[in-house]
Amino acid sequence: MAFADPRDANFIASANHPLAADLASDYSHLGEQLSRRGVNIDEITNAVAGFKVAIPSWGVGTGGTRFGRFPGAGEPRNVFEKLDDCGVISKLTGATPTVSLHIPWDRTDDYKALREYAARHGLGFDAMNSNTFQDQPGQPLSYKYGSLTHTDPAVRAQAVAHNLDCIEAGKQLGSKALTVWIGDGANFPGQSHLGRAFDRYLESTASIYQALPDDWRMFLEHKMYEPAFYATVIQDWGSSLLAARELGPKTFCLVDLGHHAPNVNIEMIVSRLVHAQRLGGFHFNDSKYGDDDLDAGSVAPFRLFLVFNELVEAELAKAPNFSPAHMLDQSHNVTDPIESLMTSAIELQRAYAQALIIDRKALHQYRIGNDALMAAQTLKRGFTTDVSPILAQARASKGAAIDPVAAYRKSGYRAQCGEKRPSKQSFGGGIV
Ligand code: RM4
Ligand code: MN
Ligand code: MN
């Protein structure tokens, strides 16, 4: 099999060539349909082409659960190889120009070199993620009983210092945000004083906030459970918002779609956080039962659409302090992570396009007139429209692939990685 570099513009153009005529015809047909609804297809395509989502560095490795991990061929072995894979995703989709790092998983001695390496792939850096939910080799104090909320001030100080290190690394990389998610909590009723643990959280995060550069934002990520299975300190958006308000204007709430109880109305949370002017961003994924970290849009695409509906509402209303950071946060246990991440980025664009084509004037009138059925139909009409030609056209207009997965497979990139990156055997469990 002949190998090709999927990042190469000539390769992408040659993969696009046989698909271009069909796309032109599908796009013009959809354009006619939409114009009958008063929608200009090119405006939607331009908006989709401007949509961006960050790739988490940890997403390009095969994931796993605490029951095991089944490594794939040619997995990246260090942060530079992760950037190589992110470069492929970015070039083929045209939607993922930034990477989000997790420290210390992605620690390196030379962040300047890392930044230059990323720039060569056309990549920048999104939010920095601090990791105080596991111990690292050589770390003096353990996080077994918590980090930023630990009962021992020395452990809290260590966790704060780690977050300050992340900010320092991020400054060198050109990042502008720190995402703080902690696993702190309790496995038994009585194990922890629920109120005091929150107080300790506020005290620790205030020290981090003080070190935050003026043009940075701090994202507080809530999660209902896991690894603490009885109570988690920042378990919901209420705790997150309380903390964000107390800490100061640079603090925002981050919504990871997988971090809620099943059936929770996430779009409602989004709307409330927009109202509070504290919606910082998203970790996109999908779930069926809990923090399953399934591929975005794979289980509940309608829910994803409803979230984007709120985002489009906020965008059109020019909601103050509204500039959410988008990131994927998923675990790919049975697929090639590059294929899953490309597909997921496209699913976000799909939900965005579907939300953009909703007839909002009609929707408003049906709402005002209490015509529940027609309001629901008007909304759903966006969801049931196949916007695929818009997405493909947006990619083609940026020199990305009309069919990213097909182009990727054609390039033989994974097999090339399999040769270049001999696998490390690992039979242990892993969270990601
Ligand atoms: C957590 C949370 C964080 C992510 C870790 C790996 O559940 O989603 O955002 O950094 O997993
Ligand atoms: Mn997350
Ligand atoms: Mn998670």
Side-chain angles (χ1 to χ4, degrees):
M1 183 183 172
F3 287 151
D5 183 347
R7 292 162 294 199
D8 177 57
N10 291 328
F11 167 76
I12 297 176
S14 72
N16 282 352
H17 186 68
L19 306 173
D22 282 353
L23 173 58
S25 147
D26 292 348
Y27 187 74
S28 108
H29 182 65
L30 180 59
E32 268 173 47
Q33 284 182 335
L34 290 177
S35 81
R36 267 182 260 135
R37 301 191 211 167
V39 175
N40 178 333
I41 193 170
D42 292 331
E43 283 174 17
I44 309 295
T45 305
N46 284 341
V48 168
F51 180 85
K52 296 177 181 68
V53 57
I55 297 297
S57 60
W58 57 105
V60 287
T62 306
T65 69
R66 63 185 190 278
F67 297 101
R69 196 176 93 84
F70 301 92
E75 286 188 69
R77 296 160 301 175
N78 56 54
V79 65
F80 290 90
E81 291 181 352
K82 290 178 191 175
L83 288 180
D84 289 336
D85 291 1
C86 291
V88 171
I89 298 167
S90 171
K91 286 283 182 328
L92 289 175
T93 63
T96 63
T98 54
V99 182
S100 205
L101 297 190
H102 225 295
I103 304 293
W105 292 342
D106 298 317
R107 177 164 278 156
T108 151
D109 295 335
D110 191 349
Y111 288 105
K112 198 169 159 275
L114 191 64
R115 187 176 184 170
E116 283 165 9
Y117 191 79
R120 268 185 263 142
H121 285 306
L123 296 169
F125 290 93
D126 202 75
M128 302 296 291
N129 297 264
S130 58
N131 178 335
T132 60
F133 48 84
Q134 59 184 179
D135 288 343
Q136 305 300 329
Q139 181 185 304
L141 302 166
S142 172
Y143 295 133
K144 179 172 179 181
Y145 297 107
S147 57
L148 292 176
T149 78
H150 199 284
T151 48
D152 179 352
V155 181
R156 298 203 295 276
Q158 178 182 281
V160 168
H162 171 66
N163 277 276
L164 304 194
D165 281 351
C166 292
I167 296 174
E168 284 311 311
K171 280 191 205 163
Q172 296 181 56
L173 293 169
S175 167
K176 294 280 176 227
L178 172 73
T179 299
V180 181
W181 171 72
I182 54 165
D184 294 32
N187 279 299
F188 292 88
Q191 180 190 333
S192 163
H193 188 294
L194 303 181
R196 284 182 201 151
F198 187 58
D199 289 341
R200 292 192 290 267
Y201 176 81
L202 292 174
E203 191 191 292
S204 298
T205 43
S207 313
I208 300 169
Y209 186 85
Q210 278 185 353
L212 206 66
D214 284 345
D215 58 346
W216 274 51
R217 293 190 289 171
M218 180 153 99
F219 299 142
L220 308 181
E221 180 178 1
H222 61 273
K223 172 167 165 171
M224 183 181 58
Y225 77 104
E226 197 199 22
F229 286 107
Y230 164 66
T232 293
V233 180
I234 303 298
Q235 94 281 14
D236 61 7
W237 70 279
S239 305
S240 177
L241 181 58
L242 276 176
R245 284 196 159 149
E246 187 142 336
L247 288 172
K250 289 181 284 181
T251 320
F252 293 82
C253 305
L254 185 136
V255 178
D256 182 316
L257 295 197
H259 290 185
H260 309 87
N263 296 330
V264 160
N265 189 330
I266 299 175
E267 59 273 23
M268 186 93 173
I269 295 172
V270 172
S271 164
R272 291 294 177 270
L273 290 176
V274 169
H275 173 90
Q277 302 184 25
R278 294 288 183 163
L279 179 66
F282 289 89
H283 282 179
F284 288 108
N285 51 43
D286 215 335
S287 66
K288 179 80 180 153
Y289 302 106
D291 188 21
D292 305 319
D293 285 327
L294 299 173
D295 287 18
S298 64
V299 177
F302 190 54
R303 180 170 69 182
L304 188 63
F305 162 75
L306 293 175
V307 166
F308 271 90
N309 177 46
E310 294 306 322
L311 297 181
V312 168
E313 287 275 4
E315 192 180 303
L316 294 175
K318 298 199 173 26
N321 276 325
F322 177 76
S323 109
H326 303 134
M327 191 190 91
L328 290 163
D329 187 9
Q330 322 179 142
S331 178
H332 314 106
N333 303 347
V334 297
T335 52
D336 179 325
I338 291 180
E339 294 190 5
S340 267
L341 287 162
M342 292 197 299
T343 309
S344 301
I346 293 167
E347 287 313 295
L348 302 186
Q349 292 176 310
R350 184 186 308 284
Y352 183 42
Q354 289 168 331
L356 283 170
I357 62 174
I358 293 168
D359 183 345
R360 291 195 182 265
K361 273 199 196 117
L363 181 61
H364 178 68
Q365 289 308 324
Y366 289 130
R367 284 172 173 169
I368 298 293
N370 293 311
D371 190 339
L373 186 116
M374 284 310 294
Q377 288 297 308
T378 305
L379 188 77
K380 209 160 183 191
R381 198 167 183 209
F383 179 68
T384 52
T385 303
D386 182 3
V387 296
S388 303
I390 294 178
L391 313 183
Q393 180 65 29
R395 285 193 294 276
S397 71
K398 303 175 87 176
I402 291 176
D403 186 342
V405 171
Y408 169 72
R409 289 189 176 190
K410 197 170 162 202
S411 75
Y413 181 79
R414 184 57 68 189
Q416 294 172 57
C417 289
E419 283 176 12
K420 275 192 251 159
R421 307 169 177 171
S423 65
K424 292 190 265 181
Q425 283 284 358
S426 118
F427 293 102
I431 50 154
V432 291

